[in-house]
Amino acid sequence: MGCTTILVGKNASFDGSTMVARTEDAPSGVFRAKKFVNVAPEEQPRKYKSVISKVEIDLPNNPVRYTAVPNAILDNGIWGQCGANEYNVSMSATETITSNERVLGADPLVDCGIGEEDIYTIVMPYIASAREGVTFLGNLLEKYGTYEMNGIAFQDENEIWWLETIGGHHWMARRVPDDSYVIMPNQLGIDKFDFDDAFGAKKEFMCSADLLDFVKKYHLDLSIDGDFNPRHAFGSRSDADHTYNTPRAWILQRYFNPTANTYDGINADYRPDSDNLPWARIPEKKITVEDIKYALSHHYQGTEYDSYSKDIHSVKKGTLRPIGINRTNFLGLVQIRPYMPDELKCLQWLAIGSCVFNAIVPFYTNINRTPDYLANTTNQVTTENFYWTNRLIAALCDAHFADTASHIERYQLKVQSQSTALINKYDEKFIAEKISKDNAKDFLEKANENIADELKVQTDDLLDKALYTASCNMKNKFSRSDA
């Protein structure tokens, strides 16, 4: 999938939470209906079979409950994507990344291996920490192989790990520095790796058991000075990267570090086609949920590449792949709050459809069921669920961007403010009333229903405004009415 990922370490976030966010973007011309669900242990398969690769895997017999955002129609597999389990551990799977001929010639991809369709489902219910997620998936990759290149995030309240696959069976992982953020745009990104740590204490790095031997055997280390750069060894540096991948990292590093570097002109520190954009950076201010939503809705506004620029003479408009793209299925952000009781720690924020035109909304994950408004998605177009309503709004507003922009802005502010207020209300009520563990799920499910009910009211209102504006701007309009 053509996705964009943001990882935020706990000391870089506004409240000390770890935050992992990713858009799931479908291929060009494809739109995948999504739903938000809870998967109970009895619903988890014990023998898993992939739809795409046909690989069969015997899974452990001790799964725990977890949330997911699978495809509403399972003709192409589950594609569970992101969520949190009952241990308050989260993962996001996957970000499709790149490689090169030398790597793929040395360790070819495996047609009958695992891929994005499978990874979330076969890992999420079995891991009790972010580190455990890395090793659990690493073992699966070494045993079954993979048919594509992917990046996967693992998260708990203390740390975030980012794993990148290398060829068919190899992998490496790096811990996100606590004071930093990472932008991942469909390209292998890790630019530093310490093999001594990976084969020793594993404080910041982990990898497949024979990765160093693999690098040496196939002459993959391209360094002149002996400072190994995995981006050079395992990644890509193509013309396609410079229109599809590097521009997204460029625009978001520009957003989070606006004064630290120059970003415009031929002599800029970093440009849209720069191959040396750092993997991890310390932001100039702490990062909020709203920052992440804005970032993952970006269409290069403020630059000559803006998809919605009013400059009809701009030759660069629309030449770079935007982050806020038409074919985003959803944006999922998991925030793990270390200062809250275990029952309240995890929030799963969701925005459905093209992020330029939607709002992001939080839901508690320590539940047994999700609100119907987000869970009842089918292939039938209807305003009775969040997915299809957002798809309709985006299609209407895109064609009338300037005329509907104020409606979108007010909707985003209202929904995100209102839902945050509801989270604050239910957090405080849970603590003040000392809700027991036995009653926690029922309490949090009612809170989620309240959030979803208010969300539907505001989303229906936005659809009404967008439809009215689009109707007034139809090409067959005529200003004279009946006499």
Side-chain angles (χ1 to χ4, degrees):
M1 288 284 191
C3 314
T4 309
T5 297
I6 299 179
L7 315 171
V8 182
K10 60 186 178 183
N11 295 337
S13 75
F14 72 106
D15 69 341
S17 296
T18 56
M19 295 194 292
V20 170
R22 181 173 59 88
T23 59
E24 183 201 50
D25 304 332
S28 182
V30 176
F31 301 87
R32 289 283 180 189
K34 305 296 289 191
K35 58 184 179 179
F36 175 43
V37 301
N38 176 79
V39 182
E42 58 271 21
E43 297 173 305
Q44 176 70 4
R46 298 313 194 262
K47 190 174 186 68
Y48 178 87
K49 183 175 182 179
S50 170
V51 172
I52 294 175
S53 73
K54 312 303 181 187
V55 65
E56 296 188 19
I57 302 173
D58 290 322
L59 296 175
N61 201 33
N62 60 341
V64 298
R65 177 202 52 76
Y66 64 100
T67 59
V69 191
N71 289 351
I73 312 302
L74 300 180
D75 58 328
N76 198 40
I78 298 174
W79 300 75
Q81 295 298 321
C82 74
N85 66 24
E86 68 180 56
Y87 298 128
N88 288 325
V89 174
S90 173
M91 67 179 289
S92 185
T94 70
E95 176 90 25
T96 304
I97 60 173
T98 54
S99 189
N100 61 60
E101 297 87 341
R102 290 169 291 108
V103 170
L104 298 179
D107 182 10
L109 298 175
V110 181
D111 289 341
C112 58
I114 61 176
E116 184 171 355
E117 173 203 343
D118 323 298
I119 288 174
Y120 186 79
T121 300
I122 63 177
V123 176
M124 185 76 260
Y126 309 107
I127 59 174
S129 71
R131 284 174 180 268
E132 192 175 318
V134 171
T135 56
F136 191 97
L137 176 57
N139 290 334
L140 290 173
L141 289 167
E142 292 177 41
K143 181 176 181 179
Y144 295 99
T146 181
Y147 56 83
E148 59 188 0
M149 293 80 72
N150 282 309
I152 301 95
F154 297 95
Q155 169 194 15
D156 56 39
E157 67 180 274
N158 294 312
E159 56 184 5
I160 301 169
W161 282 82
W162 177 252
L163 182 151
E164 294 182 330
T165 65
I166 301 164
H169 300 86
H170 293 85
W171 59 273
M172 63 179 172
R174 183 176 171 187
R175 186 183 186 275
V176 175
D178 292 337
D179 62 357
S180 300
Y181 71 92
V182 172
I183 308 297
M184 285 301 309
N186 288 129
Q187 189 176 22
L188 188 139
I190 296 175
D191 56 5
K192 174 185 176 183
F193 199 81
D194 185 341
F195 281 108
D196 288 338
D197 181 60
F199 291 111
K202 298 179 172 58
K203 289 183 178 179
E204 308 288 338
F205 301 89
M206 289 189 272
C207 65
S208 47
D210 66 338
L211 186 61
L212 182 56
D213 292 336
F214 176 70
V215 170
K216 291 178 178 178
K217 180 178 179 179
Y218 293 102
H219 313 288
L220 297 175
D221 183 358
L222 303 184
S223 65
I224 299 294
D225 59 4
D227 188 10
F228 178 71
N229 186 329
R231 193 183 294 178
H232 295 163
F234 309 131
S236 61
R237 188 176 182 174
S238 69
D239 293 338
D241 285 330
H242 298 155
T243 58
Y244 199 84
N245 295 326
T246 56
R248 285 180 276 160
W250 166 78
I251 195 65
L252 294 193
Q253 291 196 15
R254 176 187 180 126
Y255 176 63
F256 291 119
N257 291 85
T259 66
N261 301 97
T262 57
Y263 297 91
D264 295 307
I266 193 68
N267 295 316
D269 296 328
Y270 298 117
R271 306 187 319 179
D273 59 352
S274 292
D275 292 303
N276 63 336
L277 288 152
W279 181 73
R281 296 193 70 175
I282 299 172
E284 293 183 20
K285 70 173 184 65
K286 292 194 173 185
I287 295 173
T288 67
V289 170
E290 308 91 76
D291 290 332
I292 294 174
K293 172 60 174 70
Y294 180 85
L296 291 176
S297 306
H298 221 290
H299 46 87
Y300 301 105
Q301 54 267 41
T303 77
E304 57 192 330
Y305 303 100
D306 185 358
S307 306
Y308 294 102
S309 171
K310 293 181 180 180
D311 183 0
I312 61 174
H313 302 295
S314 174
V315 296
K316 294 186 177 180
K317 173 182 176 180
T319 57
L320 302 180
R321 193 269 205 208
I323 298 166
I325 200 168
N326 64 323
R327 47 190 164 89
T328 296
N329 295 330
F330 82 102
L331 156 60
L333 185 163
V334 172
Q335 175 191 4
I336 305 182
R337 307 179 294 171
Y339 51 87
M340 282 293 174
D342 285 346
E343 293 84 357
L344 305 180
K345 270 190 167 72
C346 269
L347 294 176
Q348 184 164 355
W349 296 74
L350 294 170
I352 308 296
S354 180
C355 288
V356 178
F357 307 102
N358 63 19
I360 193 164
V361 190
F363 295 97
Y364 293 104
T365 63
N366 185 33
I367 51 172
N368 287 326
R369 62 180 178 82
T370 55
D372 285 347
Y373 188 49
L374 290 93
N376 68 357
T377 314
T378 66
N379 60 355
Q380 180 180 354
V381 180
T382 172
T383 58
E384 290 305 306
N385 70 63
F386 196 39
Y387 173 81
W388 286 112
T389 308
N390 277 284
R391 282 282 308 281
L392 292 168
I393 289 168
L396 289 168
C397 292
D398 176 80
H400 306 280
F401 182 81
D403 293 324
T404 58
S406 61
H407 299 321
I408 297 295
E409 290 168 6
R410 290 173 189 143
Y411 167 76
Q412 291 170 338
L413 182 63
K414 181 71 176 285
V415 167
Q416 291 166 203
S417 300
Q418 191 177 61
S419 60
T420 299
L422 287 170
I423 289 292
N424 290 336
K425 169 188 167 182
Y426 282 104
D427 281 349
E428 292 164 7
K429 187 175 181 181
F430 185 95
I431 293 168
E433 296 184 5
K434 299 179 180 178
I435 303 297
S436 70
K437 204 165 190 176
D438 290 341
N439 294 324
K441 287 185 174 60
D442 184 59
F443 177 90
L444 297 178
E445 286 166 5
K446 289 176 181 177
N448 284 352
E449 289 290 353
N450 192 349
I451 293 168
D453 289 345
E454 294 296 335
L455 174 63
K456 187 177 189 306
V457 170
Q458 298 304 325
T459 306
D460 286 348
D461 181 65
L462 175 61
L463 177 60
D464 177 63
K465 289 182 171 71
L467 180 59
Y468 175 78
T469 301
S471 298
C472 288
N473 288 339
M474 290 172 65
K475 296 194 186 319
N476 60 353
K477 66 183 178 181
F478 197 78
S479 58
R480 177 177 174 176
S481 302
D482 294 342

